Amino acid sequence: MEPRQGSEDMREIHHFVGGKSFAGTSKRRGPVMNPTTGEQQAEVMLANAADLDHVCAKAEEAARAWANTSVITRSRVMSKFQALLWQHKTELATMIAKEHGKVLADAEGDVVRGIEAVEFSCGIPHLIKGEYSDGVSTNVDMYSMRRPLGVVAGITPFNFPAMIPLWMMAVAVACGNAIIIKPSEKDPTCPVRLAELFMEAGGPEHIFNVMHGDRELVEAILAHPTIQAVSFVGSTPVARAVYAGATAHGKRAQCMGGAKNHLLVMPDADMDAATNALMGAAYGSAGERCMATPVAVAVGKGTAEALIERLQPRIEALRIGPSMDPDSDMGPLVTREHRDKVKSYFDMAVDEGSDLLIDGREFSLQGYENGYFIGACLFDNVKPGMTTYKEEIFGPSLQIVRADDFDQAAKLPSDHEYGNGTAIFTKDGRFARQFAQHVNVGMVGINVPIPVPLSFHTFGGWKASAFGGHNQHGMEGVRFYTRVKTITARWDDNFGDAQFIMPTHG
Ligand code: NAD
């Protein structure tokens, strides 16, 4: 959608900087739509490079003081923030459901997974502890500490407007940095509310800043000399470009991209459990999750038939409706453009020769004909050479690929360009272990369909699903948002003579 000048009668979503709403100088605005009705509900400011300069200068000053604030104080602010997030869980989820289109209960899950990252960050006094070696030489000790980077930036996708900004800000801020979050311009309201609650929790001004924008702001972030590190989550082409841009400017970068996750169903698997898993993982959030499972690999004779027999009635019974209706299982897609793109993938899958067993392409919701709805689809006999197998669709569909045996099946996720998540359903521990050890993918589920690690572990895919050396949250997150300093200290009166050789021990 084209950015345009502001109009007077529309709710305006401002940046949130220094504990208050900030308008900046840019006059560009983007529309924020209601995916259920297809109507515009607000417009969001789109910042420019001058606005970023202003925020960076303030954030840099604030970061200096915050880095020197005791780690226990930082932890206590995060604890209060966590308590406020729980109190405001439904309010935040409602904001998400109205702008993203995911159903309210699912939006609450988005908020809760974000709160868990804040909960993890409350342990920062322990997490950031350094190392100490007593007496590495006579009266010489050696220790290391983790220092924050200063000002960092987080660029987030539309599909988790609470969880992903919180993954980034919780660890960055607890480590002693200031952060600028640039949320997706499609659903920008929730991140602003998160920043307001951080202030209410006693967070200092300019430590958690939210700036809205599009490519213009992202490019300014990548080039800005004050910003030390960039965390990005979004599609692979943009992740690749952001990684290249950030590192070319000497910044640390972690850039998570798209996905095409496979779930292997072995012939010995509990078929009812596998069906339940596939229903939630393929159609939950209308498939708009990077850990969705759009590919089921049915292994051995009869497995595909057993799954199809169970899946078909369940898919046909899916309740597709407004995101705020508690009876809806699945809401609309995020934008009209995305809905049309998903539909064109479904058309292409048919043209490429997949068998379309359930056709949701023409679904329309009575009373909401302008909403961005599409029905669920089920495809069988999908082949690895097909474009619709290779590319991420990000919509409500499941593609069944048939494999003769475990080896043929396990090769599929390993050989795929993406490597975010994968899963295996089996009762045989030998296959499960072999799969977990050897599959060329970053996150693996064993009888678990969406293996999203908890915040004290770490989140990140492999191959074209992630660029950069560090994952999100867990100790990887702490490492990303800090750098190590190592100190060697001698305390005695005997400094000895000048030495011109490399100092060695003994
Ligand atoms: P996107 O790449 O379109 O946008 C992500 C962010 O980048 C947004 O803030 C957007 O404003 C910005 N952006 C978009 N185009 C840009 C450009 N040309 N230059 C600079 N910045 C740009 O992604 P999206 O549609 O918001 O999110 C969906 C994608 O994110 C899917 O591909 C999904 O798999 C992926 N995703 C990945 C993970 C993960 O952890 N691997 C998690 C969630 C989502």
Side-chain angles (χ1 to χ4, degrees):
M1 268 169 274
E2 279 301 298
R4 56 193 181 77
Q5 300 288 317
S7 65
E8 277 176 15
D9 49 355
M10 192 58 73
R11 176 169 70 94
E12 268 199 340
I13 302 168
H14 290 212
H15 315 297
F16 189 84
V17 172
K20 49 188 180 295
S21 156
F22 170 67
T25 57
S26 167
K27 296 282 174 271
R28 292 170 68 243
R29 305 283 185 271
V32 178
M33 310 302 288
N34 179 337
T36 296
T37 62
E39 285 163 7
Q40 186 175 344
Q41 52 182 329
E43 56 188 15
V44 61
M45 297 186 158
L46 301 173
N48 59 24
D51 300 336
L52 182 67
D53 271 345
H54 169 85
V55 177
C56 279
K58 299 281 188 189
E60 193 172 25
E61 203 184 314
R64 225 172 281 131
W66 184 235
N68 292 323
T69 300
S70 82
V71 70
I72 294 181
T73 302
R74 299 204 305 257
S75 161
R76 286 182 185 157
V77 169
M78 299 314 284
S79 294
K80 276 196 194 153
F81 183 41
Q82 189 201 158
L84 283 172
L85 291 169
W86 281 117
Q87 277 171 33
H88 291 268
K89 183 182 75 164
T90 305
E91 176 199 345
L92 293 162
T94 302
M95 290 169 169
I96 295 170
K98 286 184 176 167
E99 291 182 357
H100 174 291
K102 63 174 86 172
V103 298
L104 187 63
D106 187 34
E108 289 196 353
D110 181 341
V111 177
V112 170
R113 290 309 291 259
I115 294 175
E116 288 172 3
V118 178
E119 187 172 33
F120 165 73
S121 77
C122 297
I124 196 67
H126 178 69
L127 299 168
I128 208 169
K129 271 192 315 205
E131 294 176 330
Y132 192 97
S133 294
D134 173 21
V136 294
S137 186
T138 309
N139 294 330
V140 178
D141 307 316
M142 191 174 280
Y143 56 99
S144 58
M145 59 177 77
R146 295 202 156 268
R147 296 294 299 167
L149 304 178
V151 182
V152 299
I155 300 162
T156 61
F158 80 83
N159 69 330
F160 282 101
M163 179 181 82
I164 295 179
L166 288 172
W167 278 358
M168 296 173 182
M169 75 68 59
V171 184
V173 167
C175 286
N177 300 285
I179 193 164
I180 299 168
I181 290 286
K182 192 221 80 67
S184 169
E185 61 276 41
K186 292 172 189 146
D187 43 15
T189 297
C190 173
V192 172
R193 189 73 186 116
L194 297 176
E196 285 172 359
L197 293 173
F198 177 74
M199 295 303 299
E200 220 175 287
E205 290 177 3
H206 294 109
I207 291 299
F208 179 11
N209 308 281
V210 176
M211 291 189 79
H212 305 291
D214 54 10
R215 185 176 180 162
E216 184 177 331
L217 178 59
V218 171
E219 283 174 0
I221 287 172
L222 301 184
H224 204 287
T226 301
I227 295 173
Q228 301 298 308
V230 176
S231 178
F232 172 92
V233 179
S235 60
T236 287
V238 185
R240 215 178 239 129
V242 167
Y243 185 74
T247 52
H249 285 94
K251 298 185 198 319
R252 190 177 281 194
Q254 55 173 196
C255 300
M256 276 69 190
K260 189 85 179 190
N261 306 322
H262 296 54
L263 189 151
L264 273 57
V265 183
M266 296 297 290
D268 69 341
D270 178 327
M271 291 296 155
D272 292 326
T275 303
N276 282 336
L278 287 168
M279 286 302 299
Y283 303 106
S285 201
E288 291 174 319
R289 289 184 186 138
C290 67
M291 289 296 272
T293 300
V295 179
V297 185
V299 186
K301 253 201 173 130
T303 305
E305 288 73 15
L307 286 174
I308 290 166
E309 185 193 343
R310 288 166 174 79
L311 283 164
Q312 252 172 336
R314 301 281 300 276
I315 299 168
E316 276 157 359
L318 271 174
R319 295 168 304 179
I320 304 172
S323 60
M324 290 303 293
D325 182 342
D327 288 335
S328 304
D329 296 319
M330 195 178 103
L333 295 183
V334 67
T335 58
R336 185 182 307 281
E337 291 80 353
H338 185 57
R339 195 266 316 269
D340 294 348
K341 186 174 160 198
V342 167
K343 183 171 180 298
S344 72
Y345 269 123
F346 292 168
D347 293 340
M348 189 195 297
V350 174
D351 294 344
E352 287 185 313
S354 310
D355 296 333
L356 179 54
L357 304 183
I358 295 183
D359 185 357
R361 289 176 294 174
E362 298 309 323
F363 176 87
S364 170
L365 186 65
Q366 209 181 357
Y368 297 89
E369 287 78 5
N370 291 326
Y372 311 141
F373 290 95
I374 192 161
C377 286
L378 177 65
F379 297 95
D380 188 17
N381 287 312
V382 175
K383 304 281 185 257
M386 294 175 177
T387 303
T388 48
Y389 168 80
K390 292 184 197 156
E391 296 186 3
E392 180 182 47
I393 297 176
F394 227 52
S397 76
L398 182 64
Q399 298 171 291
I400 298 177
V401 181
R402 295 173 180 233
D404 294 337
D405 54 28
F406 171 77
D407 289 340
Q408 198 185 64
K411 238 173 100 48
L412 292 167
S414 284
D415 288 352
H416 202 281
E417 180 191 2
Y418 291 112
N420 214 39
T422 187
I424 184 168
F425 271 60
T426 182
K427 291 190 185 117
D428 189 329
R430 289 167 303 174
F431 285 124
R433 184 175 188 280
Q434 196 179 333
F435 186 65
Q437 295 291 107
H438 299 294
V439 70
N440 194 12
V441 170
M443 293 173 281
V444 182
I446 298 172
N447 297 319
V448 170
I450 308 182
V452 178
L454 291 170
S455 57
F456 39 92
H457 283 264
T458 188
F459 183 104
W462 287 5
K463 300 183 282 183
S465 295
F467 307 94
H470 294 278
N471 281 355
Q472 300 282 344
H473 58 69
M475 274 314 291
E476 288 274 301
V478 174
R479 287 183 200 111
F480 181 73
Y481 289 113
T482 54
R483 56 183 142 227
V484 178
K485 185 179 277 186
T486 307
I487 291 118
T488 308
R490 180 202 295 275
W491 290 107
D492 70 14
D493 296 327
N494 179 18
F495 285 93
D497 297 328
Q499 284 196 30
F500 300 99
I501 57 167
M502 185 69 187
T504 56
H505 187 73

